Amino acid sequence: MSRASSLLTIEALVKTYSRSSGLFGKTDPVRALDGVDMSINRGEALGLVGESGSGKTTLARCVIRLVKATSGRVIFDGVDVLKADSLTLRTLRQRMQIVFQDPFGSLNPRMTVGAAVREPIEAHKIAEKQEARDRVESLFEEVGLDPTYTSSYPHQLSGGQRQRIGIARALSVEPEFVVLDEPVSALDVSVQAQVLNLLSDLRANRGLTYLFIAHDLAVVRHIADRVAVMYSGRLMEVAFVTDTYDEPLHPYTTSLLSAVPVPDPRVRRERIILTGDASARRPTSGCVFEPRCPHPKKNELCRMEIPPLREIRTARLVACHHAE
Ligand code: ADP
Ligand code: MG
């Protein structure tokens, strides 16, 4: 993995939200992202997993500048995203797209789904009139929907069909990079597999680069090349997906993985139940995972010093003092 092939690079990204603590009207900042570094190669699918509240959506939104990061850098194909002027941003908005978890929430209930897919094509002046309509029809076919659905309204479609519309809308402007923020989490299990297959095919056919977000490791297994595990705004582990599955090195990854069913009945994983949750009060020093960490070697060092994300083996990054 050479630096040259990186399409997206994130450096020391921080996002804090102010939250009212209710005490004398004081605000108590939430560090939703606490210094995230990662890079995604061209054509790669990077899975980003972590419990609800770990900062995944915040990362996705900061990267495409839907929300303003507090500090840090995001470089997309050599362009500084966080400093881009409005003209550059317009181009970036076409090159980088997002698919949301709930397509219902992002679709206008009074607009046909055909018009919803056509809208960005016209807004970005990619095509107009009949040519735009033809593009919409071929996009429908590409995402596995009969073109007769173009005149349907969102409420007339199933959850899986609506998510296909969300995907068609994102692809309509011919992006290179797509953020998928829990695109199958709201769907039935049988439909999840179909949409995951579609996303894999689209990536292969279009040569897309994905940041694929999920809250569990089972979903990213078949779609991601590498997986980044996030906890409380920090990356705990980054590795190739097979390495993560075969030998997780961070105790948080181990506990997430223990919840994933093993297909081979001869293999048993001990289920690790973590107490508390990711949005619980974070420690003011040391490792953010320390209060919930089940590692037998957990010690004073974990409470005092933040473990940096370090490469302990080739292409294996881990933020744990006791990873060896
Ligand atoms: P995830 O997508 O992993 O579930 P989020 O990025 O949505 O996590 O949230 C990370 C943290 O930031 C949570 O503690 C959440 O409560 C907080 N947060 C997210 N959005 C806002 C906001 N607009 N205002 C205040 N806090 C927020
Ligand atoms: Mg989220």
Side-chain angles (χ1 to χ4, degrees):
M1 257 176 291
S2 68
R3 265 183 176 278
S5 63
S6 161
L7 179 63
L8 183 84
T9 307
I10 299 169
E11 290 170 8
L13 198 63
V14 172
K15 174 66 186 177
T16 54
Y17 290 112
S18 52
R19 165 173 69 184
S20 159
S21 66
L23 271 178
F24 316 110
K26 269 194 190 160
T27 54
D28 160 27
V30 182
R31 277 177 97 76
L33 294 178
D34 195 8
V36 174
D37 294 285
M38 67 160 69
S39 101
I40 308 181
N41 294 324
R42 210 176 278 278
E44 183 181 41
L46 182 81
L48 177 65
V49 301
E51 286 162 286
S52 170
S54 55
K56 306 178 300 295
T57 295
T58 303
L59 179 79
R61 289 173 185 250
C62 286
V63 164
I64 60 168
R65 240 177 88 172
L66 281 182
V67 300
K68 195 173 178 291
T70 306
S71 62
R73 297 217 306 163
V74 176
I75 309 295
F76 178 77
D77 198 19
V79 181
D80 191 330
V81 177
L82 306 186
K83 291 199 176 129
D85 58 26
S86 57
L87 201 67
T88 313
L89 197 57
R90 200 180 146 76
T91 315
L92 287 173
R93 290 261 147 86
Q94 183 250 312
R95 299 179 71 192
M96 307 166 94
Q97 284 286 311
I98 185 164
V99 173
F100 299 99
Q101 172 175 344
D102 170 25
F104 214 23
S106 56
L107 290 172
N108 180 343
R110 279 181 290 274
M111 196 188 256
T112 64
V113 293
V117 175
R118 197 172 69 238
E119 188 183 52
I121 297 177
E122 289 175 343
H124 283 276
K125 299 194 168 39
I126 290 172
E128 50 178 19
K129 302 191 180 103
Q130 193 53 45
E131 196 197 336
R133 282 172 214 282
D134 292 345
R135 272 180 181 261
V136 170
E137 291 207 353
S138 76
L139 280 160
F140 269 59
E141 278 170 3
E142 197 179 351
V143 300
L145 286 174
D146 191 283
T148 55
Y149 281 112
T150 48
S151 50
S152 303
Y153 287 89
H155 71 90
Q156 295 172 309
L157 304 184
S158 69
Q161 289 170 328
R162 279 199 293 267
Q163 193 54 291
R164 288 172 195 267
I165 296 296
I167 295 165
R169 195 171 140 93
L171 295 183
S172 69
V173 294
E174 308 285 328
E176 292 148 71
F177 174 68
V178 184
V179 176
L180 300 133
D181 190 359
E182 306 214 28
V184 301
S185 300
L187 306 176
D188 291 342
V189 177
S190 58
V191 182
Q192 281 191 4
Q194 294 166 10
V195 174
L196 287 174
N197 285 337
L198 169 68
L199 290 168
S200 290
D201 292 346
L202 290 169
R203 174 163 75 110
N205 297 340
R206 288 178 166 253
L208 295 166
T209 303
Y210 285 169
L211 172 61
F212 187 102
I213 299 175
H215 57 256
D216 73 69
L217 278 159
V219 169
V220 297
R221 181 167 200 169
H222 299 288
I223 198 151
D225 300 304
R226 284 188 304 145
V227 185
V229 178
M230 189 141 101
Y231 184 83
S232 195
R234 289 180 158 270
L235 291 184
M236 300 287 110
E237 176 159 6
V238 184
F240 283 109
V241 75
T242 45
D243 289 338
T244 307
Y245 274 85
D246 295 347
E247 192 197 4
L249 294 178
H250 195 286
Y252 181 56
T253 317
T254 310
S255 60
L256 276 185
L257 203 56
S258 77
V260 174
V262 186
D264 184 344
R266 287 165 304 178
V267 180
R268 280 197 60 211
R269 272 200 202 110
E270 198 182 333
R271 177 90 195 249
I272 303 163
I273 312 280
L274 292 177
T275 52
D277 65 78
S279 56
R281 209 176 163 74
R282 3 179 334 141
T284 48
S285 67
C287 174
V288 283
F289 186 56
E290 189 276 335
R292 295 171 77 201
C293 182
H295 200 295
K297 288 193 191 148
K298 175 164 96 171
N299 60 9
E300 199 51 27
L301 182 62
C302 307
R303 281 182 285 276
M304 303 308 293
E305 250 178 59
I306 296 174
L309 189 66
R310 62 203 165 100
E311 186 162 23
I312 72 162
R313 270 180 236 164
T314 312
R316 296 223 62 180
L317 304 172
V318 189
C320 174
H321 292 301
H322 304 291
E324 282 86 2

mmCIF file with all atom_site columns, all heavy atoms in Angstrom, residues 17 30 32 51-58 279, ligand 1:
data_model
loop_
_atom_site.group_PDB
_atom_site.id
_atom_site.type_symbol
_atom_site.label_atom_id
_atom_site.label_alt_id
_atom_site.label_comp_id
_atom_site.label_asym_id
_atom_site.label_entity_id
_atom_site.label_seq_id
_atom_site.pdbx_PDB_ins_code
_atom_site.Cartn_x
_atom_site.Cartn_y
_atom_site.Cartn_z
_atom_site.occupancy
_atom_site.B_iso_or_equiv
_atom_site.pdbx_formal_charge
_atom_site.auth_seq_id
_atom_site.auth_comp_id
_atom_site.auth_asym_id
_atom_site.auth_atom_id
_atom_site.pdbx_PDB_model_num
ATOM   1   N N   . TYR A 1 17  ? -18.600 18.647 19.940 1.00 0.00 ? 17  TYR A N   1
ATOM   2   C CA  . TYR A 1 17  ? -19.936 19.238 19.986 1.00 0.00 ? 17  TYR A CA  1
ATOM   3   C C   . TYR A 1 17  ? -20.102 19.796 21.387 1.00 0.00 ? 17  TYR A C   1
ATOM   4   O O   . TYR A 1 17  ? -19.630 19.184 22.346 1.00 0.00 ? 17  TYR A O   1
ATOM   5   C CB  . TYR A 1 17  ? -21.019 18.172 19.788 1.00 0.00 ? 17  TYR A CB  1
ATOM   6   C CG  . TYR A 1 17  ? -21.117 17.588 18.401 1.00 0.00 ? 17  TYR A CG  1
ATOM   7   C CD1 . TYR A 1 17  ? -20.768 16.258 18.160 1.00 0.00 ? 17  TYR A CD1 1
ATOM   8   C CD2 . TYR A 1 17  ? -21.604 18.344 17.341 1.00 0.00 ? 17  TYR A CD2 1
ATOM   9   C CE1 . TYR A 1 17  ? -20.896 15.707 16.899 1.00 0.00 ? 17  TYR A CE1 1
ATOM   10  C CE2 . TYR A 1 17  ? -21.736 17.794 16.074 1.00 0.00 ? 17  TYR A CE2 1
ATOM   11  C CZ  . TYR A 1 17  ? -21.373 16.474 15.857 1.00 0.00 ? 17  TYR A CZ  1
ATOM   12  O OH  . TYR A 1 17  ? -21.509 15.926 14.607 1.00 0.00 ? 17  TYR A OH  1
ATOM   13  N N   . VAL A 1 30  ? -18.424 17.458 23.913 1.00 0.00 ? 30  VAL A N   1
ATOM   14  C CA  . VAL A 1 30  ? -18.337 16.022 23.596 1.00 0.00 ? 30  VAL A CA  1
ATOM   15  C C   . VAL A 1 30  ? -17.298 15.910 22.492 1.00 0.00 ? 30  VAL A C   1
ATOM   16  O O   . VAL A 1 30  ? -17.442 16.552 21.453 1.00 0.00 ? 30  VAL A O   1
ATOM   17  C CB  . VAL A 1 30  ? -19.679 15.502 23.009 1.00 0.00 ? 30  VAL A CB  1
ATOM   18  C CG1 . VAL A 1 30  ? -19.617 14.010 22.730 1.00 0.00 ? 30  VAL A CG1 1
ATOM   19  C CG2 . VAL A 1 30  ? -20.848 15.852 23.885 1.00 0.00 ? 30  VAL A CG2 1
ATOM   20  N N   . ALA A 1 32  ? -16.543 14.016 19.793 1.00 0.00 ? 32  ALA A N   1
ATOM   21  C CA  . ALA A 1 32  ? -17.094 12.953 18.945 1.00 0.00 ? 32  ALA A CA  1
ATOM   22  C C   . ALA A 1 32  ? -16.000 12.312 18.095 1.00 0.00 ? 32  ALA A C   1
ATOM   23  O O   . ALA A 1 32  ? -16.052 11.126 17.792 1.00 0.00 ? 32  ALA A O   1
ATOM   24  C CB  . ALA A 1 32  ? -18.201 13.504 18.065 1.00 0.00 ? 32  ALA A CB  1
ATOM   25  N N   . GLU A 1 51  ? -19.623 0.599  18.008 1.00 0.00 ? 51  GLU A N   1
ATOM   26  C CA  . GLU A 1 51  ? -20.974 0.698  18.568 1.00 0.00 ? 51  GLU A CA  1
ATOM   27  C C   . GLU A 1 51  ? -21.597 2.053  18.256 1.00 0.00 ? 51  GLU A C   1
ATOM   28  O O   . GLU A 1 51  ? -20.887 3.016  17.947 1.00 0.00 ? 51  GLU A O   1
ATOM   29  C CB  . GLU A 1 51  ? -20.908 0.581  20.093 1.00 0.00 ? 51  GLU A CB  1
ATOM   30  C CG  . GLU A 1 51  ? -20.634 -0.795 20.620 1.00 0.00 ? 51  GLU A CG  1
ATOM   31  C CD  . GLU A 1 51  ? -20.163 -0.704 22.060 1.00 0.00 ? 51  GLU A CD  1
ATOM   32  O OE1 . GLU A 1 51  ? -19.006 -0.297 22.271 1.00 0.00 ? 51  GLU A OE1 1
ATOM   33  O OE2 . GLU A 1 51  ? -20.942 -1.026 22.952 1.00 0.00 ? 51  GLU A OE2 1
ATOM   34  N N   . SER A 1 52  ? -22.882 2.121  18.446 1.00 0.00 ? 52  SER A N   1
ATOM   35  C CA  . SER A 1 52  ? -23.595 3.376  18.276 1.00 0.00 ? 52  SER A CA  1
ATOM   36  C C   . SER A 1 52  ? -23.003 4.427  19.226 1.00 0.00 ? 52  SER A C   1
ATOM   37  O O   . SER A 1 52  ? -22.692 4.135  20.374 1.00 0.00 ? 52  SER A O   1
ATOM   38  C CB  . SER A 1 52  ? -25.062 3.088  18.595 1.00 0.00 ? 52  SER A CB  1
ATOM   39  O OG  . SER A 1 52  ? -25.752 4.284  18.662 1.00 0.00 ? 52  SER A OG  1
ATOM   40  N N   . GLY A 1 53  ? -22.785 5.612  18.706 1.00 0.00 ? 53  GLY A N   1
ATOM   41  C CA  . GLY A 1 53  ? -22.225 6.690  19.526 1.00 0.00 ? 53  GLY A CA  1
ATOM   42  C C   . GLY A 1 53  ? -20.707 6.787  19.464 1.00 0.00 ? 53  GLY A C   1
ATOM   43  O O   . GLY A 1 53  ? -20.101 7.654  20.072 1.00 0.00 ? 53  GLY A O   1
ATOM   44  N N   . SER A 1 54  ? -20.060 5.903  18.679 1.00 0.00 ? 54  SER A N   1
ATOM   45  C CA  . SER A 1 54  ? -18.597 5.927  18.650 1.00 0.00 ? 54  SER A CA  1
ATOM   46  C C   . SER A 1 54  ? -18.034 7.025  17.742 1.00 0.00 ? 54  SER A C   1
ATOM   47  O O   . SER A 1 54  ? -16.836 7.297  17.774 1.00 0.00 ? 54  SER A O   1
ATOM   48  C CB  . SER A 1 54  ? -18.045 4.550  18.271 1.00 0.00 ? 54  SER A CB  1
ATOM   49  O OG  . SER A 1 54  ? -18.579 4.106  17.058 1.00 0.00 ? 54  SER A OG  1
ATOM   50  N N   . GLY A 1 55  ? -18.881 7.641  16.916 1.00 0.00 ? 55  GLY A N   1
ATOM   51  C CA  . GLY A 1 55  ? -18.409 8.762  16.098 1.00 0.00 ? 55  GLY A CA  1
ATOM   52  C C   . GLY A 1 55  ? -18.343 8.485  14.606 1.00 0.00 ? 55  GLY A C   1
ATOM   53  O O   . GLY A 1 55  ? -17.824 9.300  13.835 1.00 0.00 ? 55  GLY A O   1
ATOM   54  N N   . LYS A 1 56  ? -18.907 7.365  14.167 1.00 0.00 ? 56  LYS A N   1
ATOM   55  C CA  . LYS A 1 56  ? -18.811 6.972  12.758 1.00 0.00 ? 56  LYS A CA  1
ATOM   56  C C   . LYS A 1 56  ? -19.491 7.967  11.826 1.00 0.00 ? 56  LYS A C   1
ATOM   57  O O   . LYS A 1 56  ? -18.928 8.381  10.817 1.00 0.00 ? 56  LYS A O   1
ATOM   58  C CB  . LYS A 1 56  ? -19.426 5.567  12.560 1.00 0.00 ? 56  LYS A CB  1
ATOM   59  C CG  . LYS A 1 56  ? -18.844 4.507  13.480 1.00 0.00 ? 56  LYS A CG  1
ATOM   60  C CD  . LYS A 1 56  ? -19.503 3.142  13.285 1.00 0.00 ? 56  LYS A CD  1
ATOM   61  C CE  . LYS A 1 56  ? -20.998 3.082  13.551 1.00 0.00 ? 56  LYS A CE  1
ATOM   62  N NZ  . LYS A 1 56  ? -21.391 3.330  14.953 1.00 0.00 ? 56  LYS A NZ  1
ATOM   63  N N   . THR A 1 57  ? -20.728 8.341  12.168 1.00 0.00 ? 57  THR A N   1
ATOM   64  C CA  . THR A 1 57  ? -21.462 9.289  11.319 1.00 0.00 ? 57  THR A CA  1
ATOM   65  C C   . THR A 1 57  ? -20.777 10.646 11.324 1.00 0.00 ? 57  THR A C   1
ATOM   66  O O   . THR A 1 57  ? -20.673 11.309 10.284 1.00 0.00 ? 57  THR A O   1
ATOM   67  C CB  . THR A 1 57  ? -22.927 9.399  11.806 1.00 0.00 ? 57  THR A CB  1
ATOM   68  O OG1 . THR A 1 57  ? -23.546 8.124  11.605 1.00 0.00 ? 57  THR A OG1 1
ATOM   69  C CG2 . THR A 1 57  ? -23.708 10.458 11.050 1.00 0.00 ? 57  THR A CG2 1
ATOM   70  N N   . THR A 1 58  ? -20.272 11.047 12.477 1.00 0.00 ? 58  THR A N   1
ATOM   71  C CA  . THR A 1 58  ? -19.568 12.327 12.559 1.00 0.00 ? 58  THR A CA  1
ATOM   72  C C   . THR A 1 58  ? -18.363 12.312 11.625 1.00 0.00 ? 58  THR A C   1
ATOM   73  O O   . THR A 1 58  ? -18.122 13.279 10.890 1.00 0.00 ? 58  THR A O   1
ATOM   74  C CB  . THR A 1 58  ? -19.136 12.596 14.020 1.00 0.00 ? 58  THR A CB  1
ATOM   75  O OG1 . THR A 1 58  ? -20.297 12.562 14.846 1.00 0.00 ? 58  THR A OG1 1
ATOM   76  C CG2 . THR A 1 58  ? -18.433 13.933 14.154 1.00 0.00 ? 58  THR A CG2 1
ATOM   77  N N   . SER A 1 279 ? -21.048 5.586  24.862 1.00 0.00 ? 279 SER A N   1
ATOM   78  C CA  . SER A 1 279 ? -21.234 7.014  25.090 1.00 0.00 ? 279 SER A CA  1
ATOM   79  C C   . SER A 1 279 ? -21.145 7.370  26.581 1.00 0.00 ? 279 SER A C   1
ATOM   80  O O   . SER A 1 279 ? -21.399 8.501  26.971 1.00 0.00 ? 279 SER A O   1
ATOM   81  C CB  . SER A 1 279 ? -22.576 7.460  24.506 1.00 0.00 ? 279 SER A CB  1
ATOM   82  O OG  . SER A 1 279 ? -23.607 6.694  25.064 1.00 0.00 ? 279 SER A OG  1
HETATM 83  P P1  . ADP B 2 .   ? -22.266 6.820  15.502 1.00 0.00 ? 1   ADP B P1  1
HETATM 84  O O1  . ADP B 2 .   ? -22.577 7.188  14.096 1.00 0.00 ? 1   ADP B O1  1
HETATM 85  O O2  . ADP B 2 .   ? -21.036 5.970  15.642 1.00 0.00 ? 1   ADP B O2  1
HETATM 86  O O3  . ADP B 2 .   ? -23.428 6.202  16.199 1.00 0.00 ? 1   ADP B O3  1
HETATM 87  P P2  . ADP B 2 .   ? -22.222 9.699  15.988 1.00 0.00 ? 1   ADP B P2  1
HETATM 88  O O4  . ADP B 2 .   ? -21.157 10.239 15.115 1.00 0.00 ? 1   ADP B O4  1
HETATM 89  O O5  . ADP B 2 .   ? -23.619 9.844  15.541 1.00 0.00 ? 1   ADP B O5  1
HETATM 90  O O6  . ADP B 2 .   ? -21.902 8.149  16.308 1.00 0.00 ? 1   ADP B O6  1
HETATM 91  O O7  . ADP B 2 .   ? -22.100 10.366 17.433 1.00 0.00 ? 1   ADP B O7  1
HETATM 92  C C1  . ADP B 2 .   ? -20.863 10.453 18.145 1.00 0.00 ? 1   ADP B C1  1
HETATM 93  C C2  . ADP B 2 .   ? -21.066 11.263 19.399 1.00 0.00 ? 1   ADP B C2  1
HETATM 94  O O8  . ADP B 2 .   ? -21.320 12.621 19.069 1.00 0.00 ? 1   ADP B O8  1
HETATM 95  C C3  . ADP B 2 .   ? -22.220 10.803 20.279 1.00 0.00 ? 1   ADP B C3  1
HETATM 96  O O9  . ADP B 2 .   ? -21.852 10.960 21.623 1.00 0.00 ? 1   ADP B O9  1
HETATM 97  C C4  . ADP B 2 .   ? -23.321 11.768 19.896 1.00 0.00 ? 1   ADP B C4  1
HETATM 98  O O10 . ADP B 2 .   ? -24.222 11.935 20.958 1.00 0.00 ? 1   ADP B O10 1
HETATM 99  C C5  . ADP B 2 .   ? -22.559 13.041 19.615 1.00 0.00 ? 1   ADP B C5  1
HETATM 100 N N1  . ADP B 2 .   ? -23.236 13.882 18.596 1.00 0.00 ? 1   ADP B N1  1
HETATM 101 C C6  . ADP B 2 .   ? -23.475 13.540 17.314 1.00 0.00 ? 1   ADP B C6  1
HETATM 102 N N2  . ADP B 2 .   ? -24.094 14.543 16.651 1.00 0.00 ? 1   ADP B N2  1
HETATM 103 C C7  . ADP B 2 .   ? -24.258 15.553 17.558 1.00 0.00 ? 1   ADP B C7  1
HETATM 104 C C8  . ADP B 2 .   ? -24.823 16.869 17.507 1.00 0.00 ? 1   ADP B C8  1
HETATM 105 N N3  . ADP B 2 .   ? -25.328 17.361 16.365 1.00 0.00 ? 1   ADP B N3  1
HETATM 106 N N4  . ADP B 2 .   ? -24.807 17.606 18.635 1.00 0.00 ? 1   ADP B N4  1
HETATM 107 C C9  . ADP B 2 .   ? -24.275 17.125 19.771 1.00 0.00 ? 1   ADP B C9  1
HETATM 108 N N5  . ADP B 2 .   ? -23.721 15.914 19.896 1.00 0.00 ? 1   ADP B N5  1
HETATM 109 C C10 . ADP B 2 .   ? -23.704 15.127 18.814 1.00 0.00 ? 1   ADP B C10 1
#
